[in-house]
């Protein structure tokens, strides 16, 4: 059943998003849905304890054991439990995505990131759109913290206005890094914003917003459900890095009958059609 778009953001919030490339939205999710989302995520994390190696859905740190689980990502959780589908498609998040995209919106992928305590890996500076380029850059990611997200546990960091300066190279010396660290300037570092959030808050960021996160220096796990949305008229040029049976399904509005193509030369990522090793492996080893 298609859900009709109901506007939920103010003109000021939408202007702020287009100006800075990100938007923090406080106390957004329904508490009952949020409680189910947290409980289900805890269950899936516990089920991953017994894994010996990476699977389609679970990405593990090399030090992972049953006694000391080191799960760093669950990809495509919408395939594992309907609560993730409900959150991405049926909740207020679909309306927020449509507000920010400015029209019909479709689902591209989702994942749960776990920032492990005592040194959970930092995520280098990067943009989403160059990793999965589309015919236009009207992509938005919504991040839903499932526990408090703070500077000390590696909250999302964004650089205001960076989305207006176009895509940056995520290759360095012929190696695909899946980060643009080498393009960072002193001004970029001066302007970094820590998006500190409470449970129930949401942060949105544009597909060209430069963002990353530091290591988790706290004693507790930081967990975030991330949903990537795209404008209905944006079509991917390359194979998905996180595939899903729900990819390209409409969230609000009708499917596009035409692609909107932004002019320019597009730097392509590697061909991930045979598999994607993950952002952690690529940023650490510099190769797929």
């Amino acid at each position: 059943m298609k859900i009709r778009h109901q506007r939920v953001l103010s003109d000021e919030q939408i202007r702020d998003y287009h100006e800075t490339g990100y938007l923090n939205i406080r106390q957004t999710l329904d508490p009952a849905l949020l409680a189910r989302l947290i409980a289900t995520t805890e269950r899936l994390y516990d089920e991953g304890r017994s894994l010996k190696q990476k699977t389609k859905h679970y990405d593990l740190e090399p030090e992972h054991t049953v006694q000391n689980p080191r799960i760093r990502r669950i990809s495509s959780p919408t395939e594992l439990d309907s609560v993730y589908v409900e959150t991405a498609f049926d909740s207020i998040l679909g309306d927020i995505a449509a507000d920010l995209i400015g029209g019909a919106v479709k689902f591209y992928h989702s994942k749960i990131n776990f920032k492990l305590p005592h040194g959970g890996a930092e995520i280098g500076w990067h943009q989403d759109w160059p990793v999965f380029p589309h015919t236009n850059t009207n992509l938005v990611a919504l991040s839903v913290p499932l526990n408090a997200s703070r500077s000390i546990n590696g909250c999302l960091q964004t650089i205001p206005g960076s989305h207006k300066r176009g895509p940056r190279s995520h290759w360095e010396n012929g190696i695909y890094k899946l980060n643009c660290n080498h393009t960072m300037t002193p001004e970029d570092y001066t302007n970094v914003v820590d998006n500190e959030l409470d449970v129930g808050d949401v942060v949105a960021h544009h597909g060209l917003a430069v963002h990353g996160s530091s290591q988790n220096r706290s004693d507790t796990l930081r967990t975030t459900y991330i949903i990537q949305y795209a404008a209905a008229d944006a079509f991917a040029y390359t194979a998905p890095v996180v595939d899903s049976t729900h990819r390209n399904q409409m969230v609000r509005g009708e499917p596009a009958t035409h692609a909107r193509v932004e002019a320019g030369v597009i730097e392509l990522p590697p061909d991930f059609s045979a598999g994607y090793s993950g952002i952690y492996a690529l940023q650490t080893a510099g190769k797929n």
Side-chain angles (χ1 to χ4, degrees), residues 44-121:
L44 291 181
Y45 191 89
D46 192 57
E47 289 176 359
R49 285 175 174 269
S50 60
L51 293 173
K52 301 275 196 306
Q53 60 186 7
K54 176 181 176 179
T55 70
K56 172 187 174 182
H57 292 290
Y58 285 82
D59 186 15
L60 312 174
E61 282 195 349
E63 299 81 11
H64 170 84
T65 64
V66 176
Q67 295 76 22
N68 182 33
R70 304 290 289 179
I71 301 166
R72 53 192 179 188
R73 171 175 287 179
I74 298 177
S75 298
S76 299
T78 55
E79 298 180 352
L80 301 177
D81 194 283
S82 62
V83 70
Y84 301 104
V85 178
E86 181 181 347
T87 304
F89 285 82
D90 303 339
S91 79
I92 193 174
L93 299 188
D95 294 311
I96 290 172
D99 283 351
L100 296 177
I101 279 176
V105 60
K106 60 189 176 185
F107 176 93
Y108 189 60
H109 70 233
S110 69
K111 59 221 174 193
I112 306 166
N113 282 353
F114 300 99
K115 183 82 71 166
L116 299 161
H118 305 298

Coordinates of all heavy atoms in Angstrom, one line a residue, residues 44-121:
L44 N 19.3 -9.3 16.9 CA 20.2 -9.6 15.7 C 21.7 -9.6 16.1 O 22.4 -10.4 15.6 CB 19.9 -8.6 14.6 CG 18.5 -8.7 13.9 CD1 18.4 -7.7 12.8 CD2 18.2 -10.1 13.4
Y45 N 22.0 -8.6 16.9 CA 23.5 -8.6 17.3 C 23.8 -9.9 18.1 O 24.9 -10.5 17.9 CB 23.7 -7.4 18.2 CG 25.2 -7.1 18.4 CD1 25.9 -6.3 17.6 CD2 25.8 -7.6 19.6 CE1 27.3 -6.1 17.8 CE2 27.1 -7.4 19.8 CZ 27.9 -6.6 18.9 OH 29.2 -6.4 19.1
D46 N 22.9 -10.3 19.0 CA 23.1 -11.5 19.8 C 23.2 -12.7 18.9 O 24.0 -13.6 19.1 CB 22.1 -11.6 20.8 CG 22.4 -12.7 21.9 OD1 23.5 -12.5 22.5 OD2 21.6 -13.6 22.1
E47 N 22.4 -12.8 17.9 CA 22.4 -13.9 17.0 C 23.7 -14.0 16.2 O 24.1 -15.1 15.7 CB 21.2 -13.8 16.0 CG 19.8 -14.1 16.7 CD 18.6 -13.9 15.7 OE1 18.9 -13.6 14.6 OE2 17.5 -14.1 16.2
G48 N 24.3 -12.9 16.0 CA 25.6 -12.9 15.2 C 26.8 -13.3 16.0 O 27.9 -13.5 15.4
R49 N 26.6 -13.5 17.3 CA 27.8 -13.9 18.2 C 28.4 -15.2 17.7 O 29.6 -15.4 17.7 CB 27.3 -14.2 19.6 CG 27.0 -12.9 20.4 CD 26.4 -13.3 21.7 NE 26.3 -12.1 22.6 CZ 27.2 -11.7 23.4 NH1 28.4 -12.3 23.6 NH2 27.0 -10.6 24.2
S50 N 27.6 -16.2 17.2 CA 28.1 -17.5 16.9 C 28.8 -17.6 15.5 O 29.3 -18.6 15.1 CB 27.0 -18.5 16.9 OG 26.0 -18.2 16.0
L51 N 28.7 -16.5 14.7 CA 29.3 -16.5 13.4 C 30.8 -16.6 13.4 O 31.5 -16.1 14.3 CB 28.9 -15.2 12.6 CG 27.4 -15.1 12.3 CD1 27.2 -13.7 11.7 CD2 27.0 -16.1 11.3
K52 N 31.4 -17.4 12.5 CA 32.8 -17.6 12.4 C 33.4 -16.7 11.3 O 34.6 -16.4 11.3 CB 33.1 -19.0 12.1 CG 32.6 -20.0 13.1 CD 33.6 -20.2 14.2 CE 33.3 -21.4 15.1 NZ 31.9 -21.5 15.6
Q53 N 32.6 -16.2 10.4 CA 33.1 -15.4 9.3 C 32.0 -14.5 8.8 O 30.8 -14.7 9.1 CB 33.7 -16.2 8.1 CG 32.6 -17.2 7.5 CD 33.2 -18.1 6.5 OE1 34.5 -18.2 6.3 NE2 32.4 -18.8 5.8
K54 N 32.4 -13.5 8.0 CA 31.5 -12.5 7.4 C 30.4 -13.3 6.5 O 30.7 -14.3 5.9 CB 32.3 -11.6 6.5 CG 31.5 -10.6 5.8 CD 32.3 -9.6 4.9 CE 31.5 -8.7 4.1 NZ 32.3 -7.8 3.3
T55 N 29.2 -12.7 6.5 CA 28.1 -13.3 5.7 C 27.6 -12.1 4.9 O 28.0 -11.0 4.9 CB 27.0 -13.8 6.6 OG1 26.3 -12.8 7.3 CG2 27.5 -14.8 7.6
K56 N 26.5 -12.4 4.1 CA 25.9 -11.4 3.3 C 25.4 -10.2 4.2 O 25.5 -9.1 3.7 CB 24.7 -12.0 2.6 CG 23.8 -11.0 1.9 CD 22.5 -11.7 1.3 CE 21.6 -10.6 0.7 NZ 20.3 -11.2 0.2
H57 N 24.9 -10.5 5.3 CA 24.4 -9.5 6.2 C 25.3 -9.0 7.3 O 25.3 -7.8 7.6 CB 23.1 -10.0 6.9 CG 22.0 -10.2 5.9 ND1 21.3 -9.2 5.3 CD2 21.4 -11.4 5.5 CE1 20.3 -9.7 4.5 NE2 20.4 -11.0 4.6
Y58 N 26.2 -9.9 7.8 CA 27.0 -9.5 8.9 C 28.5 -9.2 8.5 O 29.1 -10.1 7.8 CB 27.0 -10.6 10.0 CG 25.8 -10.7 10.8 CD1 24.6 -11.4 10.3 CD2 25.7 -10.2 12.1 CE1 23.5 -11.5 11.0 CE2 24.5 -10.3 12.8 CZ 23.4 -10.9 12.3 OH 22.3 -11.0 13.0
D59 N 29.0 -8.1 8.9 CA 30.4 -7.7 8.7 C 31.1 -7.8 10.1 O 30.6 -7.1 11.0 CB 30.5 -6.4 8.1 CG 32.0 -6.0 7.7 OD1 32.8 -6.9 7.7 OD2 32.3 -4.8 7.5
L60 N 32.1 -8.6 10.2 CA 32.8 -8.8 11.5 C 34.2 -8.3 11.5 O 34.9 -8.3 10.5 CB 32.9 -10.3 11.8 CG 31.6 -11.1 11.6 CD1 31.9 -12.6 11.8 CD2 30.5 -10.7 12.5
E61 N 34.6 -7.8 12.7 CA 36.1 -7.4 12.8 C 36.9 -8.7 12.9 O 36.4 -9.8 13.3 CB 36.3 -6.6 14.1 CG 35.9 -5.2 14.0 CD 36.4 -4.3 15.1 OE1 36.9 -4.9 16.1 OE2 36.4 -3.1 15.0
P62 N 38.1 -8.7 12.5 CA 39.0 -9.9 12.6 C 39.0 -10.6 13.9 O 39.2 -11.8 14.1 CB 40.3 -9.4 12.1 CG 40.1 -8.2 11.3 CD 38.9 -7.6 11.9
E63 N 38.9 -9.7 15.0 CA 39.0 -10.3 16.4 C 37.7 -10.8 16.9 O 37.6 -11.2 18.1 CB 39.5 -9.1 17.3 CG 40.9 -8.6 16.9 CD 40.8 -7.5 15.8 OE1 39.7 -7.1 15.4 OE2 41.9 -7.2 15.3
H64 N 36.7 -10.9 16.1 CA 35.4 -11.4 16.6 C 35.4 -12.8 17.1 O 36.0 -13.7 16.5 CB 34.4 -11.3 15.4 CG 33.1 -11.9 15.7 ND1 32.0 -11.3 16.3 CD2 32.6 -13.2 15.4 CE1 31.0 -12.1 16.5 NE2 31.3 -13.3 15.9
T65 N 34.8 -13.0 18.3 CA 34.6 -14.3 18.8 C 33.3 -14.4 19.5 O 32.6 -13.4 19.7 CB 35.7 -14.7 19.9 OG1 35.5 -13.8 21.0 CG2 37.1 -14.6 19.4
V66 N 32.8 -15.6 19.8 CA 31.6 -15.8 20.5 C 31.6 -15.0 21.9 O 30.6 -14.4 22.3 CB 31.2 -17.3 20.7 CG1 30.0 -17.4 21.5 CG2 31.1 -18.0 19.4
Q67 N 32.7 -15.2 22.6 CA 32.8 -14.6 23.9 C 33.0 -13.0 23.8 O 32.6 -12.3 24.7 CB 34.0 -15.2 24.6 CG 33.9 -16.6 24.9 CD 34.2 -17.5 23.7 OE1 34.8 -17.1 22.7 NE2 33.6 -18.7 23.8
N68 N 33.6 -12.6 22.7 CA 33.8 -11.1 22.5 C 33.4 -10.7 21.1 O 34.2 -10.6 20.2 CB 35.3 -10.8 22.7 CG 35.6 -9.3 22.6 OD1 34.8 -8.5 23.0 ND2 36.8 -9.0 22.1
P69 N 32.0 -10.6 21.0 CA 31.5 -10.3 19.6 C 32.0 -8.9 19.1 O 31.9 -8.0 19.9 CB 30.0 -10.3 19.8 CG 29.8 -10.1 21.3 CD 31.0 -10.7 22.0
R70 N 32.4 -8.9 17.9 CA 32.9 -7.7 17.3 C 32.2 -7.5 15.9 O 32.8 -7.5 14.9 CB 34.4 -7.7 17.1 CG 35.2 -8.0 18.4 CD 35.2 -6.8 19.3 NE 35.9 -5.6 18.9 CZ 36.0 -4.5 19.6 NH1 35.4 -4.4 20.7 NH2 36.7 -3.5 19.1
I71 N 30.9 -7.3 16.0 CA 30.1 -7.1 14.8 C 30.1 -5.6 14.5 O 29.8 -4.8 15.4 CB 28.7 -7.6 15.0 CG1 28.7 -9.1 15.3 CG2 27.8 -7.3 13.8 CD1 27.3 -9.6 15.9
R72 N 30.5 -5.2 13.3 CA 30.6 -3.8 13.0 C 29.5 -3.3 12.1 O 29.2 -2.1 12.0 CB 31.9 -3.4 12.5 CG 32.4 -4.2 11.3 CD 33.9 -4.0 11.0 NE 34.4 -4.7 9.9 CZ 35.7 -4.8 9.6 NH1 36.6 -4.1 10.3 NH2 36.2 -5.5 8.6
R73 N 28.8 -4.2 11.4 CA 27.7 -3.8 10.5 C 26.8 -5.0 10.2 O 27.2 -6.1 10.1 CB 28.2 -3.2 9.2 CG 27.1 -3.0 8.1 CD 27.6 -2.3 6.9 NE 27.9 -0.9 7.2 CZ 28.4 0.0 6.3 NH1 28.7 -0.5 5.0 NH2 28.7 1.2 6.6
I74 N 25.5 -4.7 10.1 CA 24.5 -5.6 9.6 C 23.9 -4.9 8.3 O 23.3 -3.8 8.4 CB 23.4 -5.9 10.6 CG1 23.9 -6.7 11.8 CG2 22.3 -6.8 9.9 CD1 22.9 -7.0 12.9
S75 N 24.1 -5.4 7.2 CA 23.7 -4.9 5.9 C 22.3 -5.4 5.6 O 21.9 -6.5 5.9 CB 24.6 -5.2 4.8 OG 25.9 -4.7 5.0
S76 N 21.5 -4.5 5.0 CA 20.1 -4.9 4.5 C 19.3 -5.5 5.6 O 18.7 -6.6 5.4 CB 20.2 -5.8 3.3 OG 20.8 -5.1 2.2
P77 N 19.2 -4.9 6.8 CA 18.3 -5.5 7.8 C 16.8 -5.6 7.5 O 16.1 -6.3 8.1 CB 18.6 -4.5 9.0 CG 18.9 -3.2 8.4 CD 19.7 -3.6 7.2
T78 N 16.4 -4.8 6.4 CA 15.0 -4.9 6.0 C 14.7 -6.3 5.5 O 13.5 -6.7 5.4 CB 14.7 -3.9 4.8 OG1 15.7 -4.1 3.8 CG2 14.8 -2.5 5.3
E79 N 15.7 -7.1 5.2 CA 15.5 -8.5 4.8 C 15.5 -9.5 6.0 O 15.1 -10.6 5.8 CB 16.7 -9.0 3.8 CG 16.7 -8.2 2.5 CD 17.9 -8.6 1.6 OE1 18.7 -9.5 2.0 OE2 17.9 -8.1 0.5
L80 N 15.8 -8.9 7.1 CA 15.9 -9.8 8.3 C 14.7 -9.6 9.3 O 14.4 -10.6 10.0 CB 17.2 -9.5 9.1 CG 18.5 -9.7 8.3 CD1 19.7 -9.4 9.1 CD2 18.5 -11.2 7.8
D81 N 14.0 -8.5 9.3 CA 12.9 -8.2 10.2 C 12.1 -7.1 9.6 O 12.6 -6.1 9.1 CB 13.4 -7.9 11.6 CG 12.2 -8.0 12.6 OD1 11.4 -7.1 12.6 OD2 12.2 -9.0 13.3
S82 N 10.7 -7.2 9.7 CA 9.8 -6.2 9.1 C 9.9 -4.9 9.9 O 9.4 -3.9 9.3 CB 8.4 -6.8 9.1 OG 8.0 -7.0 10.5
V83 N 10.4 -4.8 11.1 CA 10.4 -3.5 11.8 C 11.3 -2.5 11.0 O 11.1 -1.3 11.1 CB 10.9 -3.7 13.2 CG1 12.4 -4.1 13.3 CG2 10.6 -2.5 14.1
Y84 N 12.3 -3.0 10.3 CA 13.2 -2.1 9.6 C 12.5 -1.6 8.3 O 12.7 -0.5 7.9 CB 14.5 -2.8 9.2 CG 15.3 -3.3 10.4 CD1 15.3 -4.6 10.8 CD2 15.9 -2.4 11.2 CE1 15.9 -5.1 11.9 CE2 16.6 -2.8 12.4 CZ 16.6 -4.1 12.7 OH 17.3 -4.6 13.9
V85 N 11.7 -2.5 7.7 CA 10.8 -2.0 6.6 C 9.8 -1.0 7.1 O 9.7 0.1 6.4 CB 10.1 -3.2 6.0 CG1 9.2 -2.8 4.8 CG2 11.1 -4.3 5.5
E86 N 9.2 -1.3 8.2 CA 8.2 -0.3 8.7 C 8.8 1.0 9.0 O 8.3 2.1 8.7 CB 7.6 -0.9 10.0 CG 6.5 0.0 10.6 CD 6.0 -0.6 11.9 OE1 6.2 -1.8 12.2 OE2 5.3 0.1 12.7
T87 N 10.0 1.0 9.6 CA 10.7 2.3 9.9 C 11.1 3.0 8.6 O 10.9 4.3 8.6 CB 12.0 2.0 10.7 OG1 11.6 1.2 11.9 CG2 12.7 3.3 11.1
A88 N 11.6 2.3 7.7 CA 12.1 3.0 6.4 C 11.0 3.5 5.5 O 11.1 4.5 4.9 CB 13.0 2.0 5.7
F89 N 9.9 2.7 5.5 CA 8.8 3.0 4.5 C 7.6 3.6 5.1 O 7.0 4.5 4.5 CB 8.4 1.7 3.8 CG 9.4 1.2 2.8 CD1 10.5 0.4 3.2 CD2 9.2 1.4 1.4 CE1 11.4 0.0 2.2 CE2 10.1 1.0 0.5 CZ 11.2 0.2 0.9
D90 N 7.2 3.1 6.3 CA 5.9 3.5 6.8 C 5.9 4.6 7.8 O 4.9 5.2 8.1 CB 5.2 2.3 7.4 CG 5.0 1.2 6.4 OD1 5.1 1.4 5.2 OD2 4.9 0.0 6.8
S91 N 7.1 4.9 8.4 CA 7.1 5.8 9.5 C 7.3 7.3 9.0 O 7.4 7.5 7.8 CB 8.3 5.5 10.5 OG 9.5 5.9 9.9
I92 N 7.5 8.2 9.9 CA 7.7 9.6 9.6 C 9.0 9.8 8.8 O 9.1 10.8 8.1 CB 7.7 10.4 10.9 CG1 7.6 11.9 10.6 CG2 9.0 10.1 11.7 CD1 7.5 12.8 11.9
L93 N 9.9 8.8 8.8 CA 11.1 9.0 8.1 C 10.9 9.1 6.6 O 11.6 9.9 5.9 CB 12.1 7.8 8.4 CG 12.5 7.6 9.8 CD1 13.6 6.5 9.9 CD2 13.0 8.9 10.4
G94 N 9.9 8.4 6.1 CA 9.6 8.5 4.6 C 9.2 9.9 4.3 O 9.5 10.5 3.2
D95 N 8.4 10.6 5.2 CA 7.9 11.9 5.0 C 9.1 12.9 5.0 O 9.2 13.9 4.3 CB 6.9 12.3 6.0 CG 5.6 11.5 5.8 OD1 5.1 11.5 4.6 OD2 5.1 11.0 6.8
I96 N 10.0 12.7 6.0 CA 11.2 13.6 6.1 C 12.0 13.5 4.8 O 12.5 14.5 4.3 CB 12.0 13.2 7.3 CG1 11.3 13.5 8.6 CG2 13.4 13.8 7.3 CD1 12.0 13.0 9.9
A97 N 12.2 12.3 4.3 CA 13.0 12.1 3.1 C 12.4 12.8 2.0 O 13.0 13.5 1.2 CB 13.2 10.6 2.8
A98 N 11.0 12.7 1.8 CA 10.3 13.4 0.7 C 10.4 14.9 0.9 O 10.5 15.6 -0.1 CB 8.9 12.9 0.7
D99 N 10.3 15.4 2.1 CA 10.5 16.8 2.3 C 11.8 17.3 1.9 O 11.9 18.4 1.2 CB 10.3 17.1 3.8 CG 8.9 17.1 4.3 OD1 8.0 17.0 3.5 OD2 8.7 17.2 5.6
L100 N 12.9 16.6 2.2 CA 14.2 17.0 1.9 C 14.6 16.8 0.4 O 15.3 17.7 -0.2 CB 15.2 16.3 2.8 CG 15.1 16.6 4.3 CD1 16.1 15.8 5.1 CD2 15.3 18.1 4.6
I101 N 14.1 15.8 -0.2 CA 14.3 15.5 -1.6 C 13.4 16.4 -2.4 O 13.8 16.8 -3.6 CB 14.1 14.0 -1.9 CG1 15.4 13.3 -1.5 CG2 13.8 13.8 -3.3 CD1 15.4 11.8 -1.6
G102 N 12.3 16.8 -1.9 CA 11.4 17.7 -2.6 C 10.5 17.1 -3.6 O 10.1 17.7 -4.6
G103 N 10.1 15.8 -3.3 CA 9.2 15.1 -4.2 C 9.3 13.6 -4.0 O 9.6 13.2 -2.9
A104 N 8.9 12.9 -5.0 CA 8.8 11.4 -4.9 C 10.2 10.8 -4.5 O 11.2 11.3 -5.0 CB 8.3 10.8 -6.2
V105 N 10.2 9.8 -3.6 CA 11.4 9.3 -3.1 C 11.3 7.8 -3.1 O 10.3 7.2 -2.9 CB 11.7 9.9 -1.7 CG1 10.5 9.5 -0.7 CG2 13.0 9.4 -1.1
K106 N 12.5 7.1 -3.3 CA 12.6 5.7 -3.3 C 13.7 5.2 -2.3 O 14.6 6.0 -2.0 CB 12.8 5.1 -4.7 CG 14.1 5.6 -5.3 CD 14.1 5.2 -6.8 CE 15.4 5.7 -7.5 NZ 15.4 5.4 -8.9
F107 N 13.6 4.0 -1.9 CA 14.5 3.4 -1.0 C 15.7 2.9 -1.8 O 15.5 2.3 -2.9 CB 13.8 2.2 -0.3 CG 14.7 1.4 0.6 CD1 14.8 1.7 2.0 CD2 15.4 0.3 0.1 CE1 15.6 0.9 2.8 CE2 16.2 -0.5 1.0 CZ 16.3 -0.2 2.3
Y108 N 16.9 3.1 -1.3 CA 18.1 2.6 -2.0 C 18.8 1.5 -1.2 O 18.9 0.4 -1.7 CB 19.1 3.7 -2.3 CG 20.2 3.2 -3.2 CD1 19.9 2.7 -4.5 CD2 21.6 3.2 -2.8 CE1 20.9 2.2 -5.3 CE2 22.6 2.7 -3.6 CZ 22.2 2.2 -4.9 OH 23.2 1.7 -5.7
H109 N 19.1 1.7 0.1 CA 19.6 0.6 0.9 C 19.5 1.0 2.4 O 19.2 2.2 2.7 CB 21.0 0.2 0.5 CG 22.1 1.2 0.9 ND1 23.0 1.6 -0.1 CD2 22.5 1.8 2.0 CE1 23.9 2.5 0.5 NE2 23.6 2.6 1.8
S110 N 19.8 0.1 3.3 CA 19.9 0.4 4.7 C 20.9 -0.5 5.4 O 21.3 -1.5 4.8 CB 18.6 0.3 5.4 OG 18.2 -1.1 5.5
K111 N 21.4 -0.1 6.5 CA 22.4 -0.8 7.3 C 22.3 -0.4 8.7 O 21.8 0.7 9.1 CB 23.8 -0.6 6.7 CG 24.2 0.8 6.7 CD 24.9 1.2 5.5 CE 25.3 2.7 5.4 NZ 25.7 3.2 4.1
I112 N 22.8 -1.3 9.6 CA 23.0 -0.9 11.0 C 24.5 -0.9 11.3 O 25.2 -1.9 11.1 CB 22.4 -2.0 11.9 CG1 20.9 -2.2 11.6 CG2 22.5 -1.5 13.4 CD1 20.3 -3.4 12.2
N113 N 25.0 0.2 11.7 CA 26.4 0.3 12.0 C 26.6 0.2 13.5 O 25.9 0.9 14.3 CB 27.0 1.7 11.5 CG 27.3 1.6 10.0 OD1 27.2 0.6 9.4 ND2 27.7 2.8 9.5
F114 N 27.6 -0.6 13.9 CA 27.9 -0.7 15.3 C 29.3 -0.1 15.5 O 30.3 -0.6 15.0 CB 27.9 -2.2 15.8 CG 26.6 -2.9 15.6 CD1 26.4 -3.7 14.5 CD2 25.6 -2.7 16.5 CE1 25.1 -4.3 14.3 CE2 24.4 -3.3 16.4 CZ 24.1 -4.1 15.3
K115 N 29.4 0.9 16.3 CA 30.7 1.5 16.7 C 31.1 0.9 18.0 O 30.6 1.2 19.1 CB 30.6 3.0 16.8 CG 31.9 3.7 17.1 CD 32.8 4.0 15.9 CE 32.2 5.0 15.0 NZ 33.1 5.5 14.0
L116 N 32.1 -0.1 17.9 CA 32.4 -0.9 19.1 C 33.1 -0.1 20.2 O 33.9 0.8 19.8 CB 33.2 -2.1 18.6 CG 32.5 -3.0 17.6 CD1 33.5 -3.9 16.8 CD2 31.5 -3.8 18.3
P117 N 32.9 -0.5 21.4 CA 33.6 0.3 22.5 C 35.1 0.1 22.5 O 35.6 -0.9 21.9 CB 33.0 -0.3 23.8 CG 32.4 -1.6 23.4 CD 32.0 -1.5 22.0
H118 N 35.8 1.0 23.1 CA 37.3 0.9 23.2 C 38.0 0.8 21.9 O 38.7 -0.2 21.6 CB 37.7 -0.2 24.1 CG 37.1 -0.1 25.5 ND1 37.3 0.9 26.4 CD2 36.2 -1.0 26.1 CE1 36.6 0.7 27.5 NE2 35.9 -0.4 27.4
G119 N 37.7 1.7 21.0 CA 38.4 1.8 19.7 C 37.7 1.3 18.5 O 38.3 1.0 17.5
G120 N 36.3 1.3 18.6 CA 35.5 1.0 17.3 C 36.0 1.9 16.2 O 36.2 3.1 16.4
A121 N 36.2 1.3 15.0 CA 36.9 2.0 13.9 C 36.3 3.3 13.6 O 35.1 3.5 13.6 CB 36.9 1.1 12.7

